[in-house]
Amino acid sequence: MHERDPQSQVSGAHSPCVASAPIFALVDGNSFYCSCERVFNPSLINQPVIVLSNNDGCVISRTDEAKAIGIKMGDPLHLIGDMIKRHRVRVYSSNYALYGDMSARMMTTLAQFTPELEVYSIDEAFLSLDGFANRDLVDYAREIRRVVRRDTGIPTAIGIGPTKVLAKVANRAAKKNKTSGGVLNLCDRAAQDSMLAEFAAADVWGIGARSAAKLARMGVTTALQLRDADVDAVQKLLTIVGRRIVLELRGQSCLALEMVQEDRKQIVSSKSFGRPVYKLTELKEAVANYATRACEKLRRQKSACHVLSVFVQTNRFKDGPQYYNSGTITFGAGTASTVRMIAAASGVLETIFRDGIEYKKVGVILSDLRLASAVEFSLFDDQHKHAQDIKTMSVMDAINARMGRDTLKVGACGNVRAGTSANAGANGVANVKVGGARMAQARAAGQSAPAPAWTMKAAMRTPCYTTRWQDLLKVG
DNA sequence: TCTGGGGTCCTAGGACCC
DNA sequence: TCTGGGGTCCTAGGACCC
């Protein structure tokens, strides 16, 4: 068992990596989004490739070749146009349906190697190798890499260590060091010493820009200095979080493997607009769509929402008047009904909307999430209506699961088909009635209508090779 | 013209109660 | 005029992650 509360541990002790100590491996997909694109387009191999954030705003994934040119994470597209042209960088809009599917394949493959697996993010997983101490860990990790590559096409790097933080360090080093063969083991004390000495404190997992600056002020700039710093002083500076990091660097495991994915405590759906938006009606349509997405997630984890917040904001990068406002509504009896949520969100939006403002973004936040099966009613709540809502939603979910997202949706969402974009055009919509709620049914064939200003820009999106029949890759 | 979205955890401070 | 102290709960803000 790992001790989860670092405060209860003996501080200052350097525990050696003995047989009974935990062993973590961190498997991380290299340039994950770009690698996904390469799997389906081999002409991208050995080429500089980047994948962009929503609205084709900035760089969120880049290959080694793109890094070598000098393209950095988070670079706005409009500032690197020259570089892209000069080096013929291949540019892609993000395609989360594809990346999510590739991620699931990678995790399934990893699960063949150990049942003790934590899916940490879309492209990373921690594996427990506790029972493997008597094997050659590096050999085993190489085998994992080989099989993931073979079965998914995704290249990975693997870092091994007695704690999660050290496994992270090892992973970074494995990626950087081309002679490592993609695998690096930091279970050995001497290896830790030499590696941490040349590893920046700012690059340690959990140390962000703010914390790095604070540490630098007390003379700590390397991971080795951080490990050997006075743990109480670090806690004073960086709270309990900093203490845990120091202990983990010393080889004391404070962060356990979390195999079960806990339910979300909060669900956010918000996006920047492809073009400026001024009108309340347009904002309402955007909010209806975001509320729809959020409620789908909510029902998937079988929760009910008790607090809904809606916010609006202007473009913070633009000179001129800024506006931010948010409003909240509380549901006496929790709900997961898209119809109710949209109505409530629309009401909140009206209270925070001001005329004559150039809006860039709206969002909805669902919080105070509790078990849907345990919703409590007061004397004034209409339980019959609530039961009807649940039925309506399950019909909608069932149809959309079978026929595709947004086949059935609430009329307030307008006529935008999910998965299309501002540039891809929209499909026709017909209204139908389900369980008393007015729904809009999008037709499969697209009669083009101009896309609303609030929809996203995604001009360079690849097809959904793995998740849509009509986008299956054709061979031959 | 053009700068992402979706999460988590921790702490301090205020409100409130006894 | 004197005017406690401890506990809990909630929230906003900060910081971090991918």
Side-chain angles (χ1 to χ4, degrees):
Chain A
M1 284 295 288
H2 316 141
E3 180 54 67
R4 298 223 55 199
D5 177 7
Q7 286 199 101
S8 66
Q9 301 196 358
V10 186
S11 65
H14 290 191
S15 64
C17 200
V18 293
S20 63
I23 301 172
F24 296 93
L26 176 64
V27 184
D28 182 324
N30 299 344
S31 312
F32 188 70
Y33 298 167
C34 291
S35 294
C36 290
E37 299 291 347
R38 276 178 170 168
V39 169
F40 295 94
N41 183 355
S43 81
L44 300 179
I45 291 164
N46 295 327
Q47 300 298 312
V49 182
I50 59 174
V51 170
L52 304 173
S53 64
N54 285 337
N55 283 313
D56 296 338
C58 50
V59 179
I60 56 173
S61 178
R62 66 222 212 282
T63 60
D64 285 341
E65 295 82 4
K67 282 173 207 173
I69 291 166
I71 295 176
K72 286 191 279 300
M73 202 68 169
D75 274 352
L77 179 65
H78 70 273
L79 295 183
I80 56 172
D82 283 352
M83 248 192 282
I84 286 170
K85 238 182 242 162
R86 197 160 359 111
H87 295 97
R88 299 174 185 277
V89 178
R90 310 286 290 270
V91 183
Y92 289 91
S93 306
S94 40
N95 182 346
Y96 288 104
L98 177 66
Y99 310 149
D101 188 62
M102 293 300 290
S103 171
R105 292 176 188 207
M106 185 172 98
M107 300 309 170
T108 305
T109 305
L110 290 176
Q112 296 165 13
F113 288 91
T114 169
E116 293 181 81
L117 170 116
E118 173 185 343
V119 177
Y120 177 70
S121 76
I122 194 163
D123 69 331
E124 281 172 86
F126 284 104
L127 276 57
S128 164
L129 299 184
D130 289 6
F132 298 82
N134 51 356
R135 295 184 59 149
D136 185 325
L137 293 172
V138 171
D139 270 0
Y140 194 58
R142 291 219 170 102
E143 175 66 4
I144 295 175
R145 283 191 80 221
R146 192 182 67 77
V147 174
V148 170
R149 184 71 186 251
R150 184 193 68 195
D151 291 359
T152 68
I154 300 289
T156 54
I158 303 183
I160 303 166
T163 67
K164 281 182 165 181
V165 169
L166 284 171
K168 270 273 190 186
V169 170
N171 180 278
R172 290 273 301 234
K175 248 180 212 184
K176 220 158 121 189
N177 184 348
K178 296 301 169 199
T179 64
S180 68
V183 176
L184 208 140
N185 183 357
L186 270 190
C187 280
D188 176 70
R189 175 76 191 185
Q192 291 168 17
D193 285 351
S194 61
M195 181 59 63
L196 295 182
E198 54 190 80
F199 201 88
D203 290 340
V204 173
W205 189 39
I207 303 294
R210 303 297 177 107
S211 301
K214 287 184 194 169
L215 287 172
R217 255 174 263 141
M218 77 184 234
V220 172
T221 56
T222 72
L224 189 69
Q225 289 172 320
L226 179 57
R227 183 194 73 183
D228 296 334
D230 178 72
V231 75
D232 292 314
V234 173
Q235 176 166 3
K236 229 174 152 185
L237 210 62
L238 308 181
T239 78
I240 188 78
V241 177
R243 182 186 198 90
R244 277 189 206 126
I245 292 169
V246 170
L247 295 180
E248 286 247 328
L249 284 172
R250 291 176 183 179
Q252 295 177 36
S253 180
C254 304
L255 307 168
L257 199 73
E258 288 170 22
M259 290 186 286
V260 285
Q261 167 73 65
E262 300 287 323
D263 284 343
R264 302 268 171 241
K265 295 168 180 170
Q266 175 182 286
I267 294 170
V268 179
S269 182
S270 76
K271 272 162 204 67
S272 299
F273 304 134
R275 285 173 273 143
V277 167
Y278 303 89
K279 291 194 293 224
L280 179 61
T281 51
E282 287 184 291
L283 289 179
K284 278 194 176 182
E285 200 174 288
V287 161
N289 279 278
Y290 302 160
T292 301
R293 289 287 94 81
C295 283
E296 284 168 1
K297 279 195 195 174
L298 191 62
R299 293 194 293 275
R300 224 173 294 141
Q301 67 170 39
K302 298 184 175 15
S303 294
C305 160
H306 291 75
V307 173
L308 162 71
S309 309
V310 180
F311 68 88
V312 294
Q313 66 185 56
T314 44
N315 188 346
R316 65 184 200 283
F317 294 103
K318 215 165 164 175
D319 290 335
Q322 295 286 317
Y323 180 70
Y324 175 90
N325 205 352
S326 69
T328 290
I329 186 171
T330 302
F331 300 104
T335 185
S337 158
T338 301
V339 179
R340 280 199 65 190
M341 200 66 73
I342 289 176
S346 186
V348 175
L349 185 59
E350 280 171 21
T351 68
I352 60 175
F353 174 83
R354 299 282 177 278
D355 230 337
I357 287 171
E358 184 180 318
Y359 293 96
K360 178 64 179 171
K361 186 176 183 178
V362 298
V364 301
I365 303 169
L366 313 188
S367 49
D368 195 355
L369 310 184
R370 304 179 220 163
L371 223 52
S373 56
V375 167
E376 291 173 15
F377 298 95
S378 79
L379 229 48
F380 309 103
D381 293 315
D382 187 342
Q383 289 200 45
H384 176 70
K385 177 80 173 59
H386 181 83
Q388 203 179 44
D389 281 346
I390 290 173
K391 265 190 211 155
T392 307
M393 289 305 114
S394 59
V395 168
M396 191 161 96
D397 289 339
I399 289 177
N400 287 340
R402 197 146 44 120
M403 317 275 290
R405 174 186 267 190
D406 280 351
T407 300
L408 208 59
K409 60 184 178 178
V410 178
C413 293
N415 63 351
V416 187
R417 171 112 178 153
T420 62
S421 67
N423 309 63
N427 290 327
V429 171
N431 285 323
V432 295
K433 260 191 132 181
V434 178
R438 197 167 51 80
M439 300 283 172
Q441 186 182 30
R443 290 197 199 96
Q447 312 145 351
S448 267
W454 61 266
T455 52
M456 279 193 303
K457 196 161 75 178
M460 295 152 285
R461 177 133 71 206
T462 47
C464 300
Y465 301 108
T466 60
T467 52
R468 288 174 61 171
W469 286 109
Q470 61 266 44
D471 289 347
L472 269 182
L473 200 58
K474 294 177 187 68
V475 180

